[in-house]
Amino acid sequence: CAARFFRDMLYDEKIGAVARAYIEQRQLPSAIVRRFGLGYAPDSFGALYDHLRKNGYTNEEMTAGFLCATSKTGKLYDIFRGRLIIPIIDVTGNIVAFGGRLIGEGRVAPDGRKPPKYLNSSDTPAFKKMRNLFALNFAKAKCTERLILCEGYMDVIQLHAAGFENTVATLGTAITPEHARIVKKYTSNVVLAYDSDSAGQNATSKALRILNDAGVDAKVIRMDGAKDPDEYIRDNGAEKFADVVKNA
């Protein structure tokens, strides 16, 4: 119900205009937008809440699903606001959570917190970050030879758009031994395509250790002149990215 609401808001002529402009700026083809089920959370404190209430959902269900939170005054408000919404789909095809990329500056929440650039569902009864990899539902059939592991949603979506359907990412958390065991079920070869900044390099070192400990052969790609795969693909194209993957 929430995913359909976000999708409908993306294609609303007025409400979704800012999100569609962002998608165009990121050069994402419409086929990929539909494939990943992208949506938009309006910059409103109660749009999703009102929609879910009309469809019979209780306050307890909304908070348990990390869709709404309680303000200092006791009222519920939408957690995702003014964001491009990325549904998190498990390997069986069920939507179990959401990620949201802030568009614009955003507004301070009723609990006083400033909006982060990326916001991810917390663990819920239906979703555990440590047991899921973003886009594994697509990549599981394409990664026997090699899996590409990124840091962010947009990196994965951009790579899938360029034809690299064997790409996944962790969900707002560093890679864990449990993630590595999941990877091992599908492939023994991973190429790490983390950000080129210091934080990304530190994460790369940790990932190498964890993957190797799980019996996965992990290599690292070099993206000269770009901070992440998204930027590299947009600046250099798919053929050049294929070369850096091959030479990891």
Side-chain angles (χ1 to χ4, degrees):
C1 186
R4 286 194 298 271
F5 171 79
F6 291 137
R7 181 195 60 199
D8 290 345
M9 291 299 98
L10 176 64
Y11 292 107
D12 182 278
E13 182 178 356
K14 183 177 180 181
I15 295 173
V18 63
R20 294 194 302 274
Y22 177 78
I23 287 170
E24 184 176 347
Q25 174 195 335
R26 299 300 292 256
Q27 303 173 23
L28 296 177
S30 58
I32 282 292
V33 173
R34 292 192 300 271
R35 179 175 173 80
F36 280 88
L38 303 187
Y40 177 62
D43 192 10
S44 162
F45 286 111
L48 178 61
Y49 172 80
D50 291 340
H51 177 77
L52 293 176
R53 285 291 291 179
K54 288 176 184 176
N55 281 275
Y57 290 92
T58 65
N59 289 4
E60 290 75 18
E61 288 171 328
M62 293 182 219
T63 54
F66 198 78
L67 295 170
C68 296
T70 306
S71 70
K72 294 176 181 177
T73 61
K75 291 184 63 177
L76 260 64
Y77 65 92
D78 296 354
I79 291 175
F80 295 99
R81 305 178 309 279
R83 294 178 181 276
L84 181 72
I85 295 295
I86 303 104
I88 310 304
I89 304 170
D90 66 15
V91 291
T92 62
N94 296 309
I95 296 175
V96 292
F98 297 98
R101 204 285 185 192
L102 187 66
I103 299 176
E105 297 298 320
R107 291 187 286 172
V108 174
D111 63 4
R113 287 184 292 181
K114 293 182 179 180
K117 182 178 177 181
Y118 282 96
L119 180 63
N120 308 294
S121 292
S122 293
D123 285 355
T124 70
F127 170 66
K128 296 292 183 284
K129 291 181 182 180
M130 302 301 182
R131 298 176 189 167
N132 288 273
L133 289 163
F134 177 61
L136 185 58
N137 56 308
F138 299 130
K140 65 180 182 179
K142 306 284 186 177
C143 66
T144 303
E145 180 181 349
R146 179 191 298 118
L147 186 75
I148 301 172
L149 181 60
C150 298
E151 283 190 279
Y153 303 121
M154 298 310 295
D155 293 325
V156 172
I157 293 170
Q158 192 68 256
L159 289 182
H160 276 250
F164 300 92
E165 297 180 1
N166 58 331
T167 306
V168 300
T170 51
L171 294 158
T173 183
I175 189 171
T176 66
E178 189 158 3
H179 287 132
R181 287 192 291 273
I182 293 170
V183 167
K184 180 66 174 173
K185 291 179 183 178
Y186 298 97
T187 186
S188 296
N189 298 290
V190 167
V191 172
L192 295 169
Y194 283 7
D195 292 0
S196 59
D197 59 15
S198 59
Q201 294 308 300
N202 290 336
T204 297
S205 297
K206 178 180 179 181
L208 285 170
R209 291 194 302 271
I210 289 174
L211 289 165
N212 287 332
D213 286 346
V216 177
D217 181 27
K219 297 179 180 179
V220 182
I221 68 171
R222 291 184 57 184
M223 296 173 289
D224 294 333
K227 70 178 185 299
D228 56 34
D230 179 15
E231 183 178 291
Y232 191 92
I233 283 280
R234 285 188 284 144
D235 290 348
N236 300 283
E239 190 173 334
K240 286 284 185 67
F241 188 79
D243 287 340
V244 298
V245 170
K246 183 179 179 181
N247 295 318

